Amino acid sequence: MKAGDPTGSAALTVSDVSKSFAGRPVLSDVSLSVSSGEVHALVGENGCGKSTLIKVLSGYHEPDGGEVRVAGLPLSLGSAKSSYQLGCRFVHQDLGLIDESSVIDNILMNTGFPTRLGTIRTGAARRTVAEDLQRAGLSIKPDVEVGSLSPAEKTGVAVAKALRPDPDSEAKLLVLDEPTATLPEGEVTRLLEMIRTVTANGIGVIYVTHRLGEVFDVADNVTVLRNGYKVATEKVSALTRPELINLMIGHELEEISQEREAIHLTHGEPTLKVGGIAGGPIKDISFTVRAGEVVGIAGITGSGAESLLSTIFGGAPRAAGSVEVNGAQVRAERPDRAMAAGMAYMPPDRKTAGGMLELSARENLTIGSLGPFSSPFWLRQASEKREVKGWFKDLNVQPPTGAENQLGTFSGGNQQKVLFAKWLRLKPSVFLLDEPTQGVDIGAKALLHRQLLAAGEEGMAIVVSSTDMDELVALCERVIVIRDGLIVADLRREEVSLSSISRNALGTQAGGSV
Amino acid sequence: MSRGKINFGFDRFSGLYVWALFIIVFGALRPDQFLSMDNVHLIASQQAIAAMLGLAILMPLACGAFDLSIGANVNLAAVLVTILQVRDGVPMVPAILITVAVGALIGIINGFIIVKLHVSSFIATLGMASIITAAQTIVTNNLEPTPVLSTTWTGLTQNTIFGFQAIFLYLLVLAVILWWVLEHMPIGRYIYAVGSNTEAARLSGLRVGKYTWISLIVSGAITSLAGVAYASLSGPSLTFGQALLLPAYAAAFLGSTQLKPGRFNVWGTVIAVYVLATGVQGIQYITSVQWLNDVFNGCALILAVSFAVWRQRAKVERGTIEEDSGGDSPISHAPGLGDGKHPDGAPSVGGTAVGAIRHEPSPDAG
């Protein structure tokens, strides 16, 4: 059922919207239009500009140029209030629900409860929430705790919450930002049914997703973004899956990077052996990394790739399987043992797991081992400062004299350099890096890459997990692709390319290696 | 700090400026009483116990844990060390050792509840405080113990050295030791790391639970030493302890805005205690209102924390802290600071009262 085709008025028109951060364009003259009752899929690889476009619609980012109209009325750009009043509603991937509260409480959280003399009218609250749920096509009891619902039902509650009627502003456009990235297969179908119910009420839907199957299941039209440009808007019915993938990946065929060529392919003994590990989204993963090898891990959000390295190191729980470094077993959930065995792990998120932002850069850099300059009763700070100064110089950390400043005062790239030095100085035999250059400027990125490759040449076994596929192609001679918690491809040398990684990560048989 | 070279250190040394202000103002109003050596000595020893307790909670706070059992603990220690000597005839030194051992034991139990049972430090030590108070009632039968009369005992804290009572000297020695441990020993670095970002510390190979546990044992032991000192200085009382809890926290939090802003530190705490004490003493020379002490400490705690939060927010807004790092209140080793609001409105979990209540050291403590 393609309800959207002939629908009349435009729920949203985006005209020539551009946005750049620090001189780097992330959106270039993007235009797109969504009709009332239409489901419009927005797809593209990580970093293509999808989320920036969504944030322009929500008023979080103010674009450098262009115009956005919601149901014909111009959005005052950069204003979240205007976005809401014109009728834009958003459901983000994290949903923003409180698991411990009931469906009623969650849905009425923002708009307030019906009251009499300051007391909540429980009956009226239940009735109005029941209506909201029905509007979203959900048949659940309003009293149950959100935490007890299935993932699709939770998403439905978030949709019902977003679409709650507001006398001052009628909902015109619903943006679903990767609502299904973590949903199991069967649940997706339920969610898609809900979306159909919503569009039947005349609301336009923008559906951001990584799962191409859903595009074909639910969307009327699809817009593909690549590197900030709109590549195409097509009717879904006129498109095949391989065509869509080609639109996403493009024809920019793998330019072999200079960085890659520097690698000498002389590998030593197996250094890291991962045997059948499971935990979280990871179902059963085994692989071996040899000394001097630089291995990439790729996979879309929810595939397990994002937690694989943390599970190996002991940051995240490991339910089964073994990890061996240089022949020695490493216990699960014991980062200290992993480090003692010669592993190092740089977490993806500097704020929550990587850095201690209010301690000084020096304290962050040396926390992994104070041994070289301390006895139990005395930490010789003069020699500590000397070592830190050396690292600042080697990695060109800016400001060069800032070792005593709080880590949080450094730019993202320089924070990452400090944390990189923290692990490099331990001379690990296995170095695991999660998103090593996320939020890092180009100069710092190139420097980190060079350092990594140099470490690889010296015999370090390096594993890089990244959603930036360009990074994997540039760095790695071997890329392991994860889908649904399992390894679906182990690409070697000439097989490593943007398209082969994407094809395997997205799960299609259309061309490329399997 | 980063903006201009000319800087009188108002942010780091504001306490010292306020102190100077108090001395000038009260010195001008009551020169005879206020500007006397006697007054200096009086303030020094009167506030030594409060300062000791401020130091006792420093290590848990630096580690991201609250120890709210110190009020009950200091009280029990004072009563216990007295009863052991008077009723049970235990000599002075063993009595002190037993008392300190009991304090450390309380710390061990606190640590067990927090690290092994994963109860937030706030709740664990609050409950512990109540249990300790009950234990004290059992020991004393709710009768105020007879004070120890020997002059060796009272002299322990009351003998004077350079005009200062010995208690003040003990305070200084304790401060120097704690300062060395926190600033110049690896364990101090680890403790600050755990308090700053528990997950990052764990992923750096630190046994998070171990340091939380150690810090609580240390606070229990220092607290009971303060109790021993109190008993020697003023004689035992059944109820003085709880009244010292708030001043200790006021001092530690106010101290965290001084010298090394954003970080609980020894000398900042000591300065904070004496700035407050000087203010209270000065006012008492002018009026003789009794409740000023409480008002002062309450206001100081609230103002200190507001000031610290405001500083941090200003920093985030100026952009000296990276945008994507702004939400996690960077004073997060000051548990309980901040309102937990991300600058753009999303609530953050770490570094807030909520964060402290959820404080969960890793299960794998040593």
Side-chain angles (χ1 to χ4, degrees), chain A residues 60 313-316 333-336 339 345 347 350-360 362-363 366-368 370 374-379 381 384 406 408-412 415 422-423, chain B residues 180 183-187 189-190 192-197 199-207 261-263 312 315 320-333 342 344 363-364:
Chain A
Y60 184 88
F313 182 69
E333 285 192 81
R334 284 295 294 266
D336 56 323
M339 283 168 68
Y345 170 62
R350 288 188 291 275
K351 180 177 78 179
T352 60
M356 298 168 284
L357 298 183
E358 65 278 19
L359 297 193
S360 69
R362 165 171 59 90
E363 288 165 311
T366 58
I367 192 71
L370 299 172
S374 70
S375 65
F377 294 102
W378 190 24
L379 186 56
Q381 298 195 0
E384 183 190 12
Q406 290 185 349
T409 63
F410 287 79
S411 76
Q415 286 184 16
K422 159 182 168 177
W423 292 109
Chain B
W180 183 264
E183 303 286 333
H184 292 282
M185 275 168 58
I187 187 174
R189 183 70 59 81
Y190 297 144
Y192 279 120
V194 171
S196 166
N197 185 340
E199 182 61 6
R202 188 175 78 87
L203 290 177
S204 301
L206 301 187
R207 307 295 303 281
R263 185 182 287 222
Q312 202 60 52
K315 224 181 215 174
T320 33
I321 295 217
E322 201 195 353
E323 189 202 341
D324 70 19
S325 70
D328 196 16
S329 164
I331 323 176
S332 59
H333 56 271
H342 194 274
D344 63 23
D364 52 358

Side-chain angles (χ1 to χ4, degrees), chain B residues 6-364:
Chain B
I6 300 171
N7 181 335
F8 294 100
F10 281 115
D11 48 352
R12 297 172 56 206
F13 301 115
S14 51
L16 294 177
Y17 285 96
V18 173
W19 203 354
L21 184 77
F22 281 158
I23 293 171
I24 292 167
V25 169
F26 295 120
L29 291 173
R30 292 284 185 276
D32 298 344
Q33 294 159 304
F34 194 80
L35 293 182
S36 65
M37 265 334 264
D38 285 348
N39 186 42
V40 172
H41 296 148
L42 180 71
I43 293 176
S45 58
Q46 253 184 1
Q47 291 302 320
I49 305 282
M52 281 181 173
L53 290 176
L55 295 180
I57 56 175
L58 216 50
M59 211 183 256
L61 284 176
C63 201
F66 282 102
D67 186 348
L68 299 181
S69 67
I70 56 156
N73 190 356
V74 72
N75 213 136
L76 175 70
V79 169
L80 192 63
V81 77
T82 308
I83 285 187
L84 281 172
Q85 293 179 74
V86 175
R87 194 178 71 192
D88 304 331
V90 179
M92 184 174 85
V93 173
I96 292 175
L97 290 179
I98 292 170
T99 305
V100 173
V102 169
L105 178 69
I106 290 172
I108 290 172
I109 300 170
N110 279 334
F112 177 83
I113 300 170
I114 293 163
V115 175
K116 291 292 182 190
L117 304 184
H118 303 282
V119 176
S120 86
S121 60
F122 205 92
I123 302 298
T125 55
L126 198 60
M128 199 60 193
S130 182
I131 296 168
I132 297 169
T133 306
Q136 177 186 308
T137 311
I138 295 169
V139 172
T140 59
N141 270 329
N142 227 8
L143 300 171
E144 191 143 307
T146 329
V148 184
L149 294 173
S150 91
T151 48
T152 333
W153 171 246
T154 50
L156 201 58
T157 52
Q158 293 174 21
N159 284 343
T160 54
I161 300 150
F162 305 122
F164 289 97
Q165 286 189 320
I167 176 81
F168 185 64
L169 190 74
Y170 299 152
L171 170 67
L172 292 182
V173 170
L174 177 68
V176 168
I177 294 173
L178 206 56
W179 165 75
W180 183 264
V181 171
L182 283 174
E183 303 286 333
H184 292 282
M185 275 168 58
I187 187 174
R189 183 70 59 81
Y190 297 144
I191 283 173
Y192 279 120
V194 171
S196 166
N197 185 340
T198 312
E199 182 61 6
R202 188 175 78 87
L203 290 177
S204 301
L206 301 187
R207 307 295 303 281
V208 170
K210 175 172 130 188
Y211 296 108
T212 309
W213 209 326
I214 290 176
S215 72
L216 286 159
I217 296 171
V218 169
S219 82
I222 296 180
T223 302
S224 52
L225 271 177
V228 170
Y230 184 91
S232 158
L233 194 65
S234 328
S237 142
L238 290 179
T239 54
F240 73 97
Q242 287 303 337
L244 287 174
L245 180 64
L246 187 99
Y249 276 88
F253 276 92
L254 193 57
S256 79
T257 66
Q258 301 296 312
L259 306 182
K260 296 189 162 197
R263 185 182 287 222
F264 290 103
N265 67 85
V266 169
W267 300 113
T269 304
V270 173
I271 288 173
V273 169
Y274 283 104
V275 171
L276 292 177
T278 307
V280 170
Q281 193 64 37
I283 294 174
Q284 278 177 351
Y285 281 128
I286 293 168
T287 80
S288 53
V289 185
Q290 288 304 309
W291 39 260
L292 273 170
N293 211 340
D294 291 339
V295 172
F296 233 75
N297 283 316
C299 291
L301 179 61
I302 293 167
L303 284 176
V305 176
S306 333
F307 182 61
V309 173
W310 168 78
R311 265 176 54 89
Q312 202 60 52
R313 290 181 71 92
K315 224 181 215 174
V316 170
E317 273 151 32
R318 275 207 311 274
T320 33
I321 295 217
E322 201 195 353
E323 189 202 341
D324 70 19
S325 70
D328 196 16
S329 164
I331 323 176
S332 59
H333 56 271
L337 285 193
D339 58 359
K341 284 283 185 188
H342 194 274
D344 63 23
S348 75
V349 180
T352 64
V354 178
I357 285 173
R358 285 190 188 159
H359 179 80
E360 275 189 18
S362 100
D364 52 358

Side-chain angles (χ1 to χ4, degrees), chain A residues 127-146:
Chain A
R127 271 194 302 282
T128 165
V129 167
E131 284 168 21
D132 294 336
L133 292 174
Q134 207 175 6
R135 199 172 304 111
L138 267 181
S139 52
I140 52 171
K141 291 213 176 76
D143 299 295
V144 297
E145 249 181 42
V146 165

Side-chain angles (χ1 to χ4, degrees), chain A residues 6-38:
Chain A
T7 38
S9 57
L12 173 79
T13 16
V14 175
S15 319
D16 299 323
V17 164
S18 299
K19 174 77 187 170
S20 52
F21 292 116
R24 192 172 59 90
V26 286
L27 278 183
S28 310
D29 293 325
V30 170
S31 301
L32 116 110
S33 114
V34 181
S35 313
S36 302
E38 174 190 347

